[in-house]
Amino acid sequence: MERPTGRTHGTPPPRLLPWPSPDGNPCYLVTDDNGSYLSRLADEWEAVQLATGTDVLGLARKVLDDPASPYTEVRFAGLRLAECLTDALRVGQSRGMRVPVPDAMDFEAGED
């Protein structure tokens, strides 16, 4: 998907939502209202996903720092970390797609 430029006046690009469809495909929201119910729900969901990742990382470090941790605990920690990383990457991708790219004219005019 192509990133928007800073001066487009059309419809904003679709927003990648922080949850997949039932069959695992990406879900997108097309709206020009960032304050809509679904936009706010996605914002809240992203915040929960990132907070969960922080919590899981803290707990996983304890397991991974202990050389006596049982294999099953290490494996469980790794699986949860992979889930949280998947969520965090989706949040980053979604937010990155919504950051406007400045027009070439902005650079020529010396705008920041």
Side-chain angles (χ1 to χ4, degrees), residues 29 31 33-41:
L29 173 64
T31 182
D33 180 7
N34 288 333
S36 71
Y37 173 76
L38 198 52
S39 291
R40 290 190 320 271
L41 180 63

Side-chain angles (χ1 to χ4, degrees), residues 10 29 36 46 59 97 104 108:
L29 173 64
S36 71
E46 286 178 353
L59 296 169
M97 289 169 51
E108 293 172 11

Side-chain angles (χ1 to χ4, degrees), residues 60-85:
R61 282 190 193 274
K62 292 176 184 174
V63 171
L64 298 174
D65 286 344
D66 182 0
S69 291
Y71 166 80
T72 53
E73 287 184 23
V74 172
R75 187 174 191 299
F76 183 80
L79 291 170
R80 299 300 74 84
L81 287 169
E83 290 170 356
C84 291
L85 179 58

Side-chain angles (χ1 to χ4, degrees), residues 1-87:
M1 178 170 288
E2 203 171 299
R3 294 182 62 191
T5 60
R7 295 192 186 239
T8 56
H9 297 289
T11 305
R15 175 184 179 166
L16 176 63
L17 293 172
W19 53 80
S21 69
D23 55 345
N25 293 320
C27 289
Y28 293 91
L29 173 64
V30 178
T31 182
D32 56 357
D33 180 7
N34 288 333
S36 71
Y37 173 76
L38 198 52
S39 291
R40 290 190 320 271
L41 180 63
D43 291 340
E44 292 170 13
W45 192 299
E46 286 178 353
V48 167
Q49 287 175 320
L50 295 176
T52 300
T54 300
D55 292 343
V56 168
L57 179 60
L59 296 169
R61 282 190 193 274
K62 292 176 184 174
V63 171
L64 298 174
D65 286 344
D66 182 0
S69 291
Y71 166 80
T72 53
E73 287 184 23
V74 172
R75 187 174 191 299
F76 183 80
L79 291 170
R80 299 300 74 84
L81 287 169
E83 290 170 356
C84 291
L85 179 58
T86 300
D87 291 343

